[in-house]
Amino acid sequence: MNVISIQSQVAFGHVGNSAAVFPMQMHGIDVVAVPTTLLSNRPGYPTLRGRVLDAALVADLLRGIEERGVVDRAQMILSGYLGSADNAKVVADFVARARAKNPALRYCCDPVLGDRDRGLFVHAEIPPLVRDLLCPLADIITPNHFEFEWLCGAKSATIDQVLKAARAFMARGTIVVTSAELADTPEGQIETLAVERANAFRVRTPKLPISPNGTGDLFAALLVAARLRGADTPAALSHAASAIFAVLERTAAIGSEEMRIVESAEWLMHPQRKFECIAINP
């Protein structure tokens, strides 16, 4: 099993590929990691070194892995934080080109645009390109609740609103909404919802008193890993939600600013607590 993962990379901490590669490898997946940034650490620390990579360099790296035959062998492309509008265009071009060469290749787009606490945190040119260029190519899209509402252009506070907006936005495949808090979400819980054309599912986990960076990157990697290992949508959703809860629970217990992914290696595969999906009646 092979995944091409196109995301940011940091030397310290766990966001982007630095959060996604190890969990997928733990699931037996060979990951070809292509960086869109090379940074010392995520933003939010007192200092930040490194830079967003030039689009020409990202395009060159992608062309290089094509020359090694990676596109022919891959089952999935996963994209995350892009860093620039030009990088968004490069990734869209690569996905279209790769799928023309390998029609069985699937694409998971993790939008990485913002969150409810900070709003949009990327350059203003990026969100429309993600919505108009990348999402139409995707088989799976994994926005958080804030990103989902931005992409769909409508507030979604109830299950019916989520289903309507998701099915209008994505004509095929699966859209997975993370960090959802809806009108009927119980106090102290947080939800993840998966919506397909004919089916929909939700899974609830306790809401922990932390919000480390990179949780969306980790979730998308876990979901992709489960799907590639043969899990259907509800099973993959249950696994990803359960595994990320295990990581976050350990992170909260230690009091770390960065997710304790490596220390939670066993739980990435076999979470201590399993949270089951519930089918949503249309």
Side-chain angles (χ1 to χ4, degrees), residues 33-146:
V34 178
T36 56
T37 74
L38 286 176
L39 300 172
S40 57
N41 47 265
R42 61 171 172 80
Y45 285 100
T47 60
L48 178 64
R49 310 291 181 179
R51 63 183 178 88
V52 175
L53 297 185
D54 296 336
L57 175 55
V58 176
D60 207 32
L61 294 172
L62 291 169
R63 181 65 72 180
I65 66 170
E66 285 184 78
E67 292 168 352
R68 301 285 72 76
V70 171
V71 167
D72 299 314
R73 299 190 300 271
Q75 284 79 44
M76 184 82 74
I77 298 171
L78 169 63
S79 72
Y81 184 81
L82 302 167
S84 72
D86 286 341
N87 280 344
K89 296 172 186 175
V90 165
V91 172
D93 179 70
F94 172 73
V95 171
R97 192 168 70 242
R99 294 182 74 174
K101 189 173 186 182
N102 178 2
L105 187 60
R106 289 176 287 172
Y107 171 44
C108 176
C109 176
D110 183 15
V112 193
L113 304 176
D115 57 39
R116 65 167 59 91
D117 295 327
R118 293 172 289 176
L120 291 173
F121 53 56
V122 298
H123 294 299
E125 301 91 344
I126 295 175
L129 293 174
V130 170
R131 179 191 62 207
D132 300 335
L133 290 183
L134 293 176
C135 287
L137 295 170
D139 301 283
I140 304 169
I141 307 174
T142 60
N144 61 39
H145 196 174
F146 169 84

Side-chain angles (χ1 to χ4, degrees), residues 116 142-147 176-180 191-193 216 219:
R116 65 167 59 91
T142 60
N144 61 39
H145 196 174
F146 169 84
E147 292 163 340
V176 181
V177 184
T178 64
S179 302
E191 301 201 62
T192 307
L193 304 102
F219 177 87

Side-chain angles (χ1 to χ4, degrees), residues 27 44 61 74 81 92 120 139 157 204 214 219 233 250 263 276 281:
H27 286 77
L61 294 172
Y81 184 81
L120 291 173
D139 301 283
R204 292 171 176 164
F219 177 87
T233 296
R250 185 176 185 86
E263 295 169 27
E276 298 291 346
N281 294 322

